[in-house]
Structures are given as structure tokens and as C-alpha cells.
């Protein structure tokens, strides 16, 4: 396709009617617009939807081996020039080996050096970007000169030279990322050229046809079970004997976590040898991935069996001896529906392991004696995790919370949206006990964190202060998140959010925090407390630093940030523990100090209270307003509120009257 190019229109400032100059080795897509004196070098890739208009500011230069991606706009003002590397004046100069990513805007006068990356929707105006610089997404660069080899984090606004000079240096991984983008677009340029060359396309089609014929002629000889265990071969045999079809799916470690499986080629045969050969072929083609066997009932169009037969870095999974489901029950293999409790706690742990291994979710339900007779079960908190240790910890928590009641474990097929297991694991009168934890070493975490939300002892790498802080946040109805940053991004306060924490009890949260610390070893990791109702942060606590042990928090304070959009902790730090009687008998020294700090900063003080039911919904009510700015008067008002609302939650509020926002929230009393 011929690219859409045209000469610059005659204007009061230019009547040259200059046309674009495009090197024969460059590729310019027909759906892009190139207008005026635009000089495009060799092996440049201009993607669809770009607009490069040298009709006001002119000329433009795009250096060899660079790429201008979809939706990019390049324009220039009539006034103002930059000096290019050839010492001539240009409205816009883009060097060699540079990528300008989707929807970016470069408005001249602008200079972008060699080996640069300009991220999605970023803007460069009246500025110079030094060679080797990496500009990430949604960045504004205006009226400054970025020194060579600097990194600009996503969302940055750089409009003063002081900000530009303080930018961190580019790291090796960033340079590698920029080089990969150039290589990818070089391959695309070559591919587009080939697509427009009849001889090139004909040769590829001939090769594809020969490959297809070769595959059609290939036959798989019946093989022995080979790498497959006898149990899996037996399952295949039972599935085929009952008229079910067999298929295979695979997923890498990342897709396995999100249950995003991909099908291997379909197995059309109903011969055992052919099916086993297909299973072994899929396992060989996807060595290092998860592979699972699927039994399909074609009549009812549903799955009757899902068994993982291969995991990354291990031998094929030995399936436990179990019968394939018959057509009468409809439940998957290895699980049964019944009301009998397992013979031991290890049996429950084994059942949990089997459910997780087959990709099922685990749930819990409880009922007292009256509700048990009418089958009116209640859910014992959703379990989002698929880690054996965390699931076991959640089971222990439910057992402790509902002593003297019936508790049962539920296996759930999330894809078919049906239950595959119901087993009672506790009855009224049973002795209290914990389920044995997983065999991967998480039993220590499950026992030391405990089932109670206020556990003060932590195992692994987290100390007791972090565990106590987690317990306080969960008790306050807050959600917990995790963020991490390497040393360079830490200096720029550019934190990255880790996978969300799904657990809602102390043991599960601590286990997921340790998992994040292990995943981001060598980086900063911080815990974030989030008030989902107000959509704001209430706590930021660094729990890991590069090359050191986890950070121990202060025994008496919690770093709390209430500033909207702030990424650093503010000075508002206070936590006051209620007395054992459920109310503060007097205002402690820490609260007095906090009051003095707030008043010294010109803030106002308020108080709020809420009963237990409204606390869960976050619907607080205000105590009498405190008009005075004297410490003694404020303390008197606080004590009055505490006395009037015994048995309720009471908290102190610090208010910035000018900004009309809260700067502190300190819990004074709990029921």
C-alpha cells in the first residue's frame, strides 16, 4: 500500500510546498499521514494512525531504526528551533534507535536523542530529551532539558529544570526494555514489507503448506504409559469405558494463578493408546507448564473430571487411586459428598490438598444444631487463596470461631459453578483442634499466627509488631494491600502495587505478606491499610528493605497517612490501646501529645462514636463539637464523649479546616 503523503500547504510563513523524504528501506503504513518536509531515515517503522505534520514548524527528522507507533502525533510551532546532531536547525529532531509509543505527542520545538523511549500518552513540548533516556507512560515534559540517560517514572510532570536534574539514572533493565521495543518494531517493519511482496508471501505460504502436509502424514504409534502413572492410565480407561471424551489443557505459572488454561489439540480418538499418546505429546510440548486431564460428558456438555498430571519442575503427578465419577452422581473424581467427618485432621488437610491440586476452590459453612436440622448453613467467610497453608489457616479460624457447632468443608468447581465436595469436619461436642497444615512448611505460620485476629506472635520473617498491626487493621474493617519498589523507584516514590491480598484474617494476610516479600527479595516492600469506604489510605508501613531484616515497627505508634494522593507517610502517628474494661479511663500521654501537635499546626479537633453494628458499615456519628483550641478544654470534651458512649467505638479526628480534609484519626476506645 502506498503511504499517504502530501506537500506542505502554502501559508503566510512558508510557501516552499516541501514534500516528505522517505528512505526506501523505511516502512510507512498507508493509514498514516505524512505532510511537509519530514525526513524519514532507513529502517524506520511508521505505524497506522500516526499524524506527522510539518506544515507549521518545519523540518522534521526521524533517525534510522526508530519507530513511531499507532496514534502518535508529531507537530511543531512556527517559532522556535532545535539544533540536530548534524548541526542544522529543526522543528522536531528524533534520533536513531528511538521508540515513540502509542498515542504519544511530540510538539516542536523538541529534540529527542538516540536510544530513547517515549511512553504511551506522554507529551514532550519545547524540550530536549537526552540520548538513552526512558520516559514512561502519561508523562508531561515541558520547557526543560532532560540530561542523557535519565529515567522518568509514569505520571511524572517535569516542568522545571530542577526537577529534570534530580531524575534517577536509567538502569540496565530499562535499557534492555528499550532495545527490545526497537527489535520488535524492526521485525514488524520487515513483516509488513514481506506482506506487500508477492514473492515473499508465496514462499511462506508454500512452506506452511509443506508443514501441514507433513503433520497430516505423521502418525503416533501406540506407546506404553511411559511418563504417565498407572493411576492416570486407569482414569483414562474408566473415562473411555463410560463413554466420556478426554481432552488436555495447559497453563504456565502466571496463567495457572488466574485459572487461564489453554487447550492442547483435541483428542478425537476413543482408543486408550491414542489418548495416552496425546497426553504425553502435550506434556512434552509444554514441559515446565501445568498440564491437566479433562473428562467431558458430551451428552450433558459438562466436565466430570479435572486432574493435574504435570507441574512445573516436577515429574508427572501421581494421581491418587480413585474412581472416575459415574453418570449417576455427577461429581468429580477423588471427592465425595457426604456427612461423615474425616478420621483425622491430616485427612482434612489431604482433602484440601486434593481439591487445590485439581483447581477447585475451598469454602466453609457452619450451622448450630437447630439450623443443621433444616440444612440452613451459613458461610464462614470466603477463601480466595489457593495456597494450602492459607486455606488450612482459614479452616482453623472457622473451627475456633464456631466451637460447639457443625462446620463443613466445601469443594467448588468455579468454572462449572457447582459443588464437588461437602464434608463435615466438626460436630457439637467434638474436642477443639486444628487441621494439620500443608507439607510445604506453612504449618509453623498457621500455628504461630493463630486463629485469633489479634495474634501477637509471627513466624517466618515478619515480627510480632507487623502481626499486631495487621490485626488492628482487620479489626477496624480496613483492607490490606502490598506495594514494592526497587532502590531507584524508591527514591522517586514510584511504588508498584503487588497482587491484592485476598485473605480477611490475620494468619492468611501474614502468609501472603511473606509470599510478597519472598517474591520481591532485594526490594522495598510496604504494607498499606486501606479504608475502602472513604477510598483512602490509613497506614503505610515498610516491612522489608533491600539487604536487611524486615523492619520492626514502633511498639507504640503506627505510621498513618491521611493525605489524599500522597505516597509518603505523614506526621500523623498515634495508636492508643483501649483498656481491658473496653473504655479509656483517662486520656493517655500519647493522645495528649497528639492533641498538642494538631493544635500547634492550626488543626481543629473532633470526636466520633459508633456502635458495633454501624462500625461494620463505617457510619460514624459526631460527638459535641469542640470549639476551643486549649489543650485542657479539648481533653475535657474527649473524656465527656468517652463517658457518654461507653461500650462503643470512639475516635479522635484531626481536621485541616483550610483544606477541608482529615489529617488524623486516632482510635480512643473499643467495645
Amino acid at each position: 500500500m502506498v503511504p499517504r503523503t502530501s506537500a506542505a500547504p502554502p501559508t503566510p510563513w512558508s510557501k516552499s510546498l516541501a514534500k516528505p523524504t522517505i528512505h526506501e528501506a523505511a516502512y510507512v503504513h498507508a493509514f498514516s499521514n505524512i505532510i511537509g518536509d519530514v525526513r524519514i531515515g532507513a529502517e524506520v517503522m511508521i505505524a497506522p494512525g500516526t499524524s506527522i505534520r510539518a506544515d507549521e514548524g518545519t523540518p522534521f527528522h526521524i533517525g534510522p531504526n526508530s519507530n513511531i507507533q499507532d496514534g502518535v502525533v508529531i507537530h511543531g510551532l512556527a517559532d522556535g528551533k532545535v539544533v540536530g546532531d548534524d548541526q542544522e536547525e529543526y522543528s522536531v529532531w528524533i534520533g536513531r534507535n528511538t521508540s515513540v509509543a502509542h498515542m504519544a505527542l511530540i510538539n516542536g520545538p523538541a529534540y529527542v536523542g538516540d536510544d530513547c523511549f517515549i511512553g504511551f500518552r506522554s507529551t514532550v513540548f519545547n524540550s530536549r530529551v537526552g540520548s538513552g533516556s526512558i520516559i514512561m507512560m502519561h508523562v508531561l515534559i515541558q520547557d526543560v532539558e532532560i540530561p542523557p540517560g535519565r529515567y522518568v517514572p509514569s505520571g511524572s510532570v517535569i516542568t522545571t529544570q530542577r526537577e529534570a536534574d534530580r531524575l534517577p539514572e536509567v538502569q540496565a533493565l530499562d535499557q534492555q526494555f528499550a532495545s527490545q521495543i526497537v527489535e520488535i518494531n524492526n521485525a514488524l517493519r520487515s513483516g509488513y514489507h514481506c506482506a506487500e511482496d508477492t514473492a515473499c508471501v508465496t514462499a511462506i505460504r508454500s512452506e506452511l503448506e509443506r508443514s501441514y502436509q507433513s503433520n497430516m502424514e505423521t502418525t503416533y504409534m501406540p506407546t506404553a504409559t511411559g511418563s504417565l502413572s498407572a493411576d492416570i492410565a486407569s482414569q483414562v480407561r474408566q473415562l473411555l469405558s463410560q463413554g466420556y471424551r478426554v481432552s488436555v489443557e495447559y497453563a504456565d505459572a502466571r496463567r495457572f494463578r488466574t485459572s487461564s488454561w489453554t487447550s492442547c489439540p483435541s483428542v478425537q480418538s476413543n482408543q486408550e493408546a491414542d489418548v495416552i499418546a496425546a497426553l504425553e505429546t502435550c506434556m512434552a510440548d509444554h514441559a515446565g507448564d501445568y498440564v491437566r486431564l479433562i473428562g467431558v460428558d458430551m451428552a450433558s456438555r459438562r466436565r466430570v473430571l479435572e486432574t493435574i498430571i504435570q507441574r512445573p519442575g516436577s515429574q508427572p503427578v501421581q494421581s491418587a487411586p480413585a474412581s472416575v465419577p459415574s453418570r449417576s452422581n455427577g461429581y468429580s473424581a477423588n471427592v465425595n459428598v457426604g456427612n461423615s467427618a474425616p478420621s483425622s485432621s491430616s485427612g482434612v488437610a489431604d482433602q484440601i490438598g486434593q481439591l487445590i491440586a485439581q483447581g477447585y476452590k475451598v469454602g466453609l459453612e457452619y450451622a448450630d444444631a437447630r439450623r443443621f436440622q433444616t440444612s440452613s448453613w451459613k458461610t464462614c467467610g470466603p477463601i480466595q487463596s489457593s495456597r494450602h497453608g492459607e486455606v488450612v489457616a482459614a479452616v482453623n479460624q472457622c473451627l475456633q470461631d464456631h466451637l460447639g457447632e457443625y462446620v463443613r468443608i466445601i469443594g467448588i468447581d468455579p468454572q462449572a459453578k457447582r459443588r464437588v465436595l461437602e464434608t463435615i469436619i466438626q460436630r457439637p461436642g467434638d474436642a477443639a483442634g486444628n487441621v494439620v497444615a500443608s507439607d510445604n512448611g506453612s504449618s509453623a505460620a498457621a500455628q504461630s499466627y493463630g486463629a485469633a485476629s489479634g495474634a501477637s506472635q509471627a513466624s517466618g520473617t515478619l515480627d510480632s509488631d507487623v502481626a499486631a498491626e495487621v490485626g488492628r487493621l482487620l479489626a477496624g474493617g480496613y483492607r490490606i494491600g502490598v506495594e514494592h519498589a526497587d532502590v531507584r523507584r524508591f527514591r522517586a516514590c514510584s511504588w508498584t502495587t503487588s497482587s491484592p491480598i485476598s485473605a480477611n484474617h490475620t494468619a492468611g494476610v501474614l502468609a501472603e505478606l511473606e509470599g510478597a516479600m519472598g517474591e520481591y527479595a532485594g526490594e522495598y516492600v510496604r504494607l498499606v491499610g486501606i479504608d475502602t469506604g472513604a477510598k483512602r489510605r490509613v497506614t503505610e508501613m515498610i516491612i522489608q528493605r533491600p539487604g536487611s531484616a524486615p523492619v520492626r515497627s514502633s511498639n507504640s505508634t503506627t505510621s498513618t497517612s491521611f493525605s489524599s494522593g500522597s505516597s509518603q507517610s505523614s506526621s500523623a502517628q498515634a495508636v492508643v490501646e483501649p483498656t481491658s474494661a473496653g473504655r479509656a479511663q483517662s486520656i493517655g500521654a500519647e493522645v495528649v501529645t497528639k492533641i498538642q501537635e494538631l493544635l500547634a499546626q492550626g488543626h481543629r479537633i473532633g470526636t466520633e462514636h459508633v456502635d458495633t453494628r454501624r462500625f461494620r458499615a463505617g457510619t460514624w456519628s459526631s460527638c459535641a463539637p469542640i470549639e476551643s483550641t486549649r489543650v485542657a478544654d479539648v481533653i475535657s470534651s474527649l473524656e465527656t464523649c468517652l463517658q457518654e458512649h461507653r461500650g462503643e467505638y470512639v475516635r479522635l479526628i484531626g481536621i485541616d479546616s483550610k483544606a477541608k480534609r482529615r489529617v488524623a484519626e486516632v482510635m480512643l476506645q473499643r467495645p
Side-chain angles (χ1 to χ4, degrees):
M1 294 184 291
V2 179
R4 295 159 60 179
T5 61
S6 61
T11 59
W13 55 85
S14 175
K15 293 183 172 60
S16 65
L17 302 179
K19 293 184 177 181
T21 303
I22 303 174
H23 194 281
E24 61 181 6
Y27 177 81
V28 179
H29 197 277
F31 291 168
S32 60
N33 285 320
I34 315 293
I35 300 173
D37 190 0
V38 180
R39 305 167 189 179
I40 299 177
E43 299 182 340
V44 169
M45 165 72 178
I46 307 293
T50 56
S51 176
I52 306 176
R53 293 195 295 117
D55 53 6
E56 183 179 351
T58 185
F60 294 173
H61 171 89
I62 302 176
N65 212 37
S66 292
N67 60 90
I68 311 299
Q69 300 177 17
D70 310 65
V72 169
V73 174
I74 302 178
H75 196 246
L77 301 180
D79 298 329
K81 300 289 184 181
V82 296
V83 177
D85 293 348
D86 58 2
Q87 304 306 311
E88 295 186 12
E89 290 188 340
Y90 293 85
S91 177
V92 175
W93 172 280
I94 298 176
R96 64 176 62 240
N97 301 321
T98 288
S99 299
V100 183
H102 311 293
M103 306 298 288
L105 168 63
I106 297 181
N107 204 102
Y111 172 96
V112 180
D114 300 340
D115 304 304
C116 290
F117 174 82
I118 310 297
F120 314 134
R121 295 185 180 274
S122 290
T123 299
V124 178
F125 170 62
N126 193 31
S127 299
R128 292 180 66 91
V129 178
S131 297
S133 293
I134 305 295
I135 314 298
M136 297 306 288
M137 281 62 80
H138 294 267
V139 171
L140 171 61
I141 297 176
Q142 178 180 340
D143 305 326
V144 297
E145 180 173 349
I146 305 296
R150 297 302 176 93
Y151 176 89
V152 184
S154 295
S156 300
V157 177
I158 310 298
T159 56
T160 66
Q161 192 58 42
R162 182 180 179 184
E163 293 172 331
D165 293 337
R166 294 174 61 186
L167 290 169
E169 294 184 355
V170 166
Q171 302 296 311
L173 287 176
D174 302 317
Q175 295 172 339
Q176 182 181 0
F177 165 73
S179 299
Q180 288 175 347
I181 299 299
V182 172
E183 293 173 3
I184 290 170
N185 280 273
N186 273 337
L188 288 171
R189 176 185 52 78
S190 300
Y192 279 118
H193 274 307
C194 178
E196 296 178 359
D197 185 348
T198 303
C200 180
V201 172
T202 300
I204 292 176
R205 286 176 176 169
S206 299
E207 181 64 27
L208 289 173
E209 186 174 351
R210 286 195 297 270
S211 176
Y212 176 76
Q213 293 293 339
S214 175
N215 289 337
M216 291 294 292
E217 294 170 0
T218 302
T219 58
Y220 292 98
M221 297 301 293
T223 62
T225 57
S227 59
L228 289 175
S229 69
D231 294 326
I232 294 175
S234 176
Q235 283 187 339
V236 170
R237 190 177 306 112
Q238 292 181 45
L239 286 168
L240 296 176
S241 66
Q242 296 185 30
Y244 296 130
R245 298 297 296 270
V246 176
S247 61
V248 200
E249 294 179 337
Y250 66 93
D252 58 23
R254 179 174 62 85
R255 294 183 180 275
F256 176 77
R257 298 190 192 102
T258 58
S259 297
S260 302
W261 294 82
T262 304
S263 297
C264 286
S266 58
V267 184
Q268 301 297 336
S269 175
N270 57 1
Q271 299 296 316
E272 180 182 344
D274 296 337
V275 173
I276 290 177
L279 292 177
E280 293 179 343
T281 299
C282 183
M283 293 166 63
D285 291 344
H286 301 284
D289 290 345
Y290 291 87
V291 178
R292 70 179 181 186
L293 177 151
I294 309 295
V296 184
D297 185 344
M298 301 300 294
S300 61
R301 298 182 181 275
R302 63 180 179 85
R303 298 186 175 193
V304 297
L305 176 69
E306 292 178 354
T307 300
I308 294 178
I309 58 177
Q310 176 177 285
R311 296 177 181 272
S314 65
Q315 297 297 322
V317 176
Q318 299 288 329
S319 174
S323 60
V324 174
S326 65
R327 292 187 179 272
S328 60
N329 58 35
Y331 288 96
S332 295
N334 300 335
V335 292
N336 296 311
V337 177
N339 290 329
S340 60
S343 58
S344 66
S345 61
S346 61
V348 178
D350 292 341
Q351 271 190 336
I352 292 172
Q354 291 178 19
L355 289 169
I356 293 174
Q358 296 183 33
Y360 297 129
K361 303 289 289 186
V362 178
L364 292 166
E365 292 180 336
Y366 67 94
D368 57 22
R370 182 175 59 84
R371 291 183 178 275
F372 176 76
Q373 294 173 357
T374 58
S375 297
S376 301
W377 294 82
K378 292 185 177 181
T379 302
C380 189
I383 303 177
Q384 303 296 339
S385 176
S386 58
R387 298 178 181 175
H388 188 275
E390 296 172 10
V391 175
V392 169
V395 173
N396 289 337
Q397 176 75 43
C398 186
L399 291 172
Q400 293 291 334
D401 290 346
H402 300 283
L403 291 173
E405 298 184 39
Y406 292 89
V407 177
R408 69 181 180 186
I409 188 171
I410 309 296
I412 304 167
D413 184 342
Q415 294 182 345
K417 296 181 179 180
R418 62 184 177 86
R419 298 188 176 194
V420 297
L421 174 73
E422 291 178 355
T423 301
I424 294 176
I425 59 175
Q426 177 178 283
R427 296 174 180 271
D430 289 349
N434 288 341
V435 177
V436 177
S438 60
D439 57 1
N440 58 6
S442 57
S443 59
Q447 294 173 1
S448 63
Y449 291 150
S453 61
S456 61
Q457 182 182 4
S459 69
T461 57
L462 289 173
D463 62 16
S464 59
D465 293 328
V466 177
E469 179 61 18
V470 170
R472 281 195 290 266
L473 289 170
L474 294 177
Y478 300 122
R479 294 301 299 273
I480 296 175
V482 189
E483 294 179 337
H484 65 94
D486 56 23
V487 176
R488 178 171 57 79
R489 289 186 168 87
F490 176 77
R491 297 194 190 102
C493 295
S494 179
W495 292 82
T496 302
T497 302
S498 182
S499 301
I501 290 182
S502 56
N504 58 1
H505 57 281
T506 303
V509 172
L510 292 172
E512 293 193 43
L513 287 177
E514 289 190 355
M517 292 165 64
E519 184 176 357
Y520 301 106
E523 297 187 27
Y524 291 87
V525 178
R526 71 180 180 187
L527 174 153
V528 180
I530 304 167
D531 184 343
T532 55
K535 295 183 179 179
R536 62 184 177 83
R537 299 186 174 197
V538 298
T539 298
E540 290 177 352
M541 175 190 292
I542 295 178
I543 60 176
Q544 175 176 286
R545 297 177 183 271
S548 65
V551 177
R552 294 184 64 88
S553 61
S554 170
N555 291 331
S556 60
T557 62
T558 299
S559 299
T560 310
S561 174
F562 299 100
S563 300
S564 176
S566 173
S567 62
Q568 295 181 351
S569 299
S570 71
S571 61
Q573 298 181 349
V575 170
V576 179
E577 293 296 336
T579 65
S580 59
R583 61 181 180 86
Q585 296 177 349
S586 61
I587 301 301
E590 294 177 359
V591 177
V592 173
T593 302
K594 187 62 188 176
I595 292 171
Q596 292 171 341
E597 291 178 1
L598 291 170
L599 294 177
Q601 295 173 15
H603 300 314
R604 301 300 298 269
I605 306 293
T607 45
E608 292 181 336
H609 67 94
V610 67
D611 59 23
T612 304
R613 181 174 61 85
R614 289 188 169 86
F615 176 77
R616 298 191 188 101
T619 54
W620 292 77
S621 300
S622 297
C623 293
I626 303 175
E627 302 296 342
S628 176
T629 57
R630 295 177 62 246
V631 175
D633 295 339
V634 172
I635 292 175
S636 177
S637 298
L638 291 179
E639 291 178 341
T640 300
C641 183
L642 290 169
Q643 291 294 331
E644 291 176 351
H645 300 284
R646 295 181 181 181
E648 297 186 22
Y649 293 88
V650 178
R651 66 183 180 187
L652 175 151
I653 308 297
I655 305 169
D656 185 341
S657 302
K658 294 181 180 179
K660 295 182 179 180
R661 63 182 178 86
R662 299 187 177 195
V663 295
E665 290 179 354
V666 181
M667 188 73 72
L668 302 178
Q669 177 177 284
R670 298 175 184 271

